[in-house]
Amino acid sequence: MFDNLSEKLGGILDRLTRRGALTEADVDAAMREVRRALLEADVALDVVRGFTEKVREQAIGATVVKSVTPGQMVVKIVHDQLIATLGADGQTIDLNAPAPVPIMMVGLQGSGKTTTTAKLARRLTSRDKRKVLMASLDVYRPAAMEQLAVLGRDLEIQTLPIVAGQKPAQIARRALEAAKLGGYDVVLLDTAGRTTLDEEMMTEAAEIKAAANPHEVLLVADSLTGQDAVNLARSFDQRVGLTGIVLTRIDGDGRGGAALSMREVTGKPIKLLGTGEKTDALEDFHPDRIAGRILGMGDVVSLVEKAAAHIDAEKAARVAEKMRKGQFDLNDMREQLQQMAKMGGIGGLMGMMPGIAKIKNQIAAAGIDDHILKRQMAIIDSMTRQERKHPDILKASRKKRIAAGAGQKVEDINKLLKMHRNMADMMKMMGSGKRGPMAGIAQAMGFGGGMPSPEQMKAMAEKMPKGADGLPQLPKDLPAGLRTGLPNLPGLTGLSGKPTLPGLGGFPGFGKKK
Amino acid sequence: MNDSNPEQPKQSWWRRLSSGLKRTSSSIGSAVADLVIRRKLDRAMLEDIEDVLLRADLGTDVAAKIAAAVGHGRYDKSISADEVKAVVAAEVEKVLAPVAMPLAIDAAQKPFVILVVGVNGSGKTTTIGKLASRFAAEGRKVMLAAGDTFRAAAIEQLKVWGERTGAPVIARAQGSDSAGLAFDAITAAKTAATDVLLIDTAGRLQNKAELMNELEKVVRVIKKVDASAPHAVLLVLDATVGQNALSQVEAFHRIAGVTGLVMTKLDGTARGGILVALSQKYKLPVHFIGVGEGVDDLAPFTAPDFAKAIAGIES
């Protein structure tokens, strides 16, 4: 269902062998697929129309750069236009007003307002060092006020004491009063969920706004929203006057087209993304990530960031050094397995890689999951120190003992040892050691090449432009495997004149039928 | 946004559904009317009809199919707006009719265990409250299990519903094992000769493997007490959801064996047309639709009414 747009466009346009400018006919054929892809990503139809029109204008007559297929060229134009539409980076919560700064959260029922309120409070408290007061104005949903109170208690952030029987606007005034007296910097007002058709509730929201005069009015909206995204964003904007949008559940497998719709109809920036259930799962908005997602190209930047955050660079460098000298033993391998597990396991990594949606299912079908990492670590844990250092001494009886100890079969031990041998061999071949140990793991597990090495990860993390547009600048001397990867990888190469990202290499083992 | 229709406080559910779907219907209705008045049925017009359906979240495939059905045998003929609407409604109904099935409570199963699942914020707890009130009104003895042990105050929320409907609520502390709670609840329901046990679960995104494993465990543990349970597994879908609902149904069905769907929040501008795509693809029964926040705002799903509402036919 979620076919990759570039793959589809490739199918249409790659038949054209000639080079040069894209003709109108080429572009028309491509636009049908672009339209379909956007609709499948839940971009609202009217937004799709305007969008494809803009892309068409740019695409007709655009010169196809050498070494880029027409399909890739169109994807690039679409991608750039998506980023242009989604807006600039770095628009975050504006606290530039006299304290206490009131921030009002609005949205439909179940969009995640209360959770987002708590997340925002936590972020403002711990990162921005503000004193935050939270107040729930939801007098309708059972236990809504308790929910915020519980979250506040867990986070050690003050919530306004609950007074039964007060109207939302009264609570808002009381919250501001309490914040003034208590010397708070920010007051977060969590309002009740409402449908945009509910006149009474929309009036109430307007009343709250009048009472609190909030500096920010944030629409909390579910990124899984379908075509209705335009209606709800427009209505809330017209009735309450938004200053920004927070998209929640971005950690789902939705394509996030609602982001484009809401941004386009309101012109209001998307300021934050809710990326998980925990209260620290709140991130700044980067248009390129959402653009990649809408196109089904994965979230490469997040992958790299996550990798950078979870890999102990020093430790990894030490292992890499050992590998280069051909001293890679099972202890080192265990460490690598553990780091993979930390990065969210195989599933977590897959989810962020481009063009993987389909392969992901095949992996699931093949029964490859994170248990493999755990089982392999268990096998290594069942070995003696000497065995880990010198796997060569492992013969039948030792293997039997290890298998029993780890609760595995002897063949599993053999598989692991083969994997280790492959990795060690590869390391020797590498010689210069440009590719890191992760690459070895990936390859040996049948993932093909191209996991970035720790050094690369570190380099990426350093070079990652904070808040700049586009993909991060990466070292040019990346493994060749990247360019010969899966056929259905989005031809990122040369798309934007930026070097290919690492880690996008082939997944040969999974691309084929079992 | 134009709410010219002043609504009576007490309406039939059909009225409520229609007003809930009004945005959908009126936008489809008027759009189709515009189209037909302007020109006769040609390719461009069929494309426009398809667009109109896309706007209701029917998805590209189903929208194309229905548009094609509208065109079938009518191509190049002039056609009235009402005709178009009727054909659209008939086509939508054709897809929905097989899945419009009431939730049958098997009285032989005591307790009849209903597990309620869905992504975060879809309206599971509220739906349980409404179902409890409905079953209690039918004279059944209802028990609730506060299986959402993750979200803050979810247990309290269910307890409030328990008080409103007079149903006992089995709960443990927040953060405790939901599978263990399900076990306790079924055991308690058996002892208390309960007719219907409604088990709430924490909202979870369907792509989170560990949370889905947890759900699988809940089902497994339920089966330990009663091998035939859960007798119904309801997936609650928010009407605003787009094409991701397909992935939700697929995953929850695979993990928890969903037996039926409930669609909530049809009282907003959301169109709920994804139900048509879901019916086409998965053919899972649709039991109820939520059309408001009141206790009684849960109506059985009926295909002709829903189809008419989507096609913009006033009743």
Side-chain angles (χ1 to χ4, degrees), chain A residues 292-351:
Chain A
R293 227 179 143 118
I294 292 173
L295 289 177
M297 304 208 303
D299 190 350
V300 179
V301 184
S302 291
L303 169 65
V304 174
E305 275 185 359
K306 201 162 186 177
H310 285 282
I311 285 190
D312 183 339
E314 210 173 296
K315 208 189 262 178
R318 210 166 55 229
V319 175
E321 187 53 37
K322 282 174 98 176
M323 284 174 102
R324 237 164 270 153
K325 291 180 186 159
Q327 298 171 333
F328 180 73
D329 65 17
L330 287 165
N331 283 317
D332 303 321
M333 185 166 158
R334 192 189 183 287
E335 225 143 69
Q336 299 306 308
L337 290 170
Q338 188 141 26
Q339 286 191 340
M340 266 185 91
K342 260 200 230 162
M343 283 166 62
I346 298 168
L349 295 177
M350 293 286 141

Side-chain angles (χ1 to χ4, degrees), chain A residues 2-8 10 72 295-297 353-360 362 484-492 504-508 510-512:
Chain A
F2 290 157
D3 288 328
N4 192 303
L5 176 64
S6 51
E7 191 188 333
K8 274 191 182 170
Q72 288 170 336
L295 289 177
M297 304 208 303
M353 291 192 186
I356 299 298
K358 263 190 289 180
I359 304 170
K360 208 171 160 184
Q362 283 170 330
T484 57
L486 266 196
N488 64 351
L489 276 176
L492 277 175
L504 311 188
F507 278 61
F510 302 115
K512 292 167 205 143

Side-chain angles (χ1 to χ4, degrees), chain B residues 14 17-18 20-32 49 52-58 62 66 84-86 88-93 96 263 266 270-277 279 301-314:
Chain B
W14 158 250
L17 171 61
S18 315
L21 287 172
K22 201 173 64 191
R23 278 289 308 183
T24 318
S25 348
S26 61
S27 61
I28 289 191
S30 60
V32 169
I49 289 173
V52 157
L53 294 169
L54 283 171
R55 251 191 220 116
D57 279 323
L58 269 75
V62 178
I66 291 181
V84 172
K85 284 190 206 170
V88 171
E91 289 302 322
V92 171
E93 190 186 331
L96 292 176
M263 176 159 271
L266 271 168
R271 306 158 180 225
I274 189 68
L275 267 190
V276 185
S279 309
F301 175 77
T302 51
D305 292 339
F306 197 86
K308 273 192 224 161
I310 281 199
I313 298 173
E314 307 291 329

Side-chain angles (χ1 to χ4, degrees), chain A residues 1-2 35-36 39-42 45-46 49 108-111 115 140-144 146-148 150-151 154 193-199 201 222 224-232 234-235 238 249-255 275-278 360 370-371, chain B residues 1 3 19-23 47-48 50-52 54-57 60-61 119-122 126 150-154 156-158 160-161 164 174 203-209 211 213 238-244 246-248 265 267-271 281 293:
Chain A
M1 178 173 55
F2 290 157
R35 174 178 179 275
R36 195 184 159 86
L39 285 169
E40 275 176 9
D42 285 324
L45 185 65
D46 299 328
R49 282 222 185 99
L108 300 179
Q109 292 103 333
S111 57
T115 307
Y140 307 98
R141 182 164 64 94
E146 284 79 2
Q147 186 183 350
L148 193 68
V150 170
L151 287 166
D154 292 350
R194 63 205 69 223
T195 73
T196 51
L197 280 185
D198 191 333
E199 236 352 83
M201 290 296 275
D222 188 338
L224 307 178
T225 307
Q227 299 282 321
D228 194 43
V230 276
N231 295 331
L232 80 94
R234 197 183 280 136
S235 313
Q238 282 170 357
R249 292 198 255 291
I250 207 84
D251 51 328
D253 60 0
R255 297 282 290 278
T275 56
E277 300 200 331
K278 304 227 170 77
K360 208 171 160 184
D370 295 339
H371 293 303
Chain B
M1 276 144 282
D3 264 34
S19 63
L21 287 172
K22 201 173 64 191
R23 278 289 308 183
E47 270 174 25
D48 287 348
E50 189 182 325
D51 283 354
V52 157
L54 283 171
R55 251 191 220 116
D57 279 323
T60 45
D61 292 341
V119 301
N120 320 58
S122 59
T126 306
F150 180 81
R151 180 166 63 87
E156 285 75 8
Q157 189 183 349
L158 197 72
V160 172
W161 279 109
R164 284 185 191 170
Q174 195 192 334
R204 66 200 76 225
L205 289 168
Q206 73 277 12
N207 61 334
K208 305 256 161 161
L211 296 179
N213 288 342
D238 181 329
T240 59
V241 71
Q243 302 305 306
N244 191 248
L246 292 159
S247 152
Q248 290 178 21
K265 303 180 207 171
D267 48 334
T269 48
R271 306 158 180 225
K281 185 154 186 203
E293 289 178 82

